Amino acid sequence: MNSMPCMQERGPARRAGVALVIVLGMLVLIAVLIVAFLSSVSVELRSAKSYASESDARALADSAVNIVISQIQDATCTPTLAWASQPGMIRTYDNTGDATTAYKLYSSNQLRVDGTFKR
């Protein structure tokens, strides 16, 4: 008869121990999920910053090319003017042979210089 009370005391204690292990296991699982989520968020943030930086660099590179294309179109679109190109510049000439405008194809404060340039 002594074995019965001992078993009854051990049963609830064993259940409490199993419940404690289950709760601790769930807490560990939640902690692992939180750490994985935070890690994923930091990787995504770095990826987004890298993409934004790449987009800015590409836009700056494309803007330089687009400026040169615009300068070439402006210089060569007038049918009454003759034009001649040289490295870094296009000059337009009027009917008298005088240069009227210089279109610079490089970085400058003044990309288009108007006026008559004597030969």
Side-chain angles (χ1 to χ4, degrees):
M1 288 235 200
N2 285 340
S3 64
M4 279 306 253
C6 189
M7 290 293 278
Q8 287 176 353
E9 289 178 18
R10 220 169 145 193
R14 180 173 273 180
R15 283 188 209 145
V18 168
L20 179 62
V21 169
I22 290 173
V23 168
L24 288 176
M26 294 301 269
L27 286 175
V28 167
L29 180 64
I30 290 171
V32 167
L33 289 175
I34 289 173
V35 168
F37 175 74
L38 292 176
S39 174
S40 173
V41 167
S42 68
V43 168
E44 290 295 325
L45 178 64
R46 274 187 270 136
S47 174
K49 285 182 179 180
S50 173
Y51 180 76
S53 164
E54 177 186 338
S55 295
D56 289 345
R58 187 177 307 268
L60 287 173
D62 288 344
S63 68
V65 172
N66 289 333
I67 288 172
V68 171
I69 290 171
S70 173
Q71 288 289 86
I72 292 171
Q73 287 175 343
D74 286 346
T76 60
C77 72
T78 306
T80 59
L81 296 176
W83 58 272
S85 67
Q86 64 187 53
M89 186 179 296
I90 294 178
R91 292 182 189 260
T92 57
Y93 297 91
D94 61 8
N95 293 338
T96 64
D98 291 331
T100 58
T101 308
Y103 294 88
K104 299 177 184 177
L105 305 178
Y106 54 87
S107 179
S108 174
N109 290 337
Q110 192 174 7
L111 291 175
R112 179 180 172 170
V113 180
D114 292 321
T116 303
F117 304 99
K118 296 296 179 186
R119 294 181 263 172

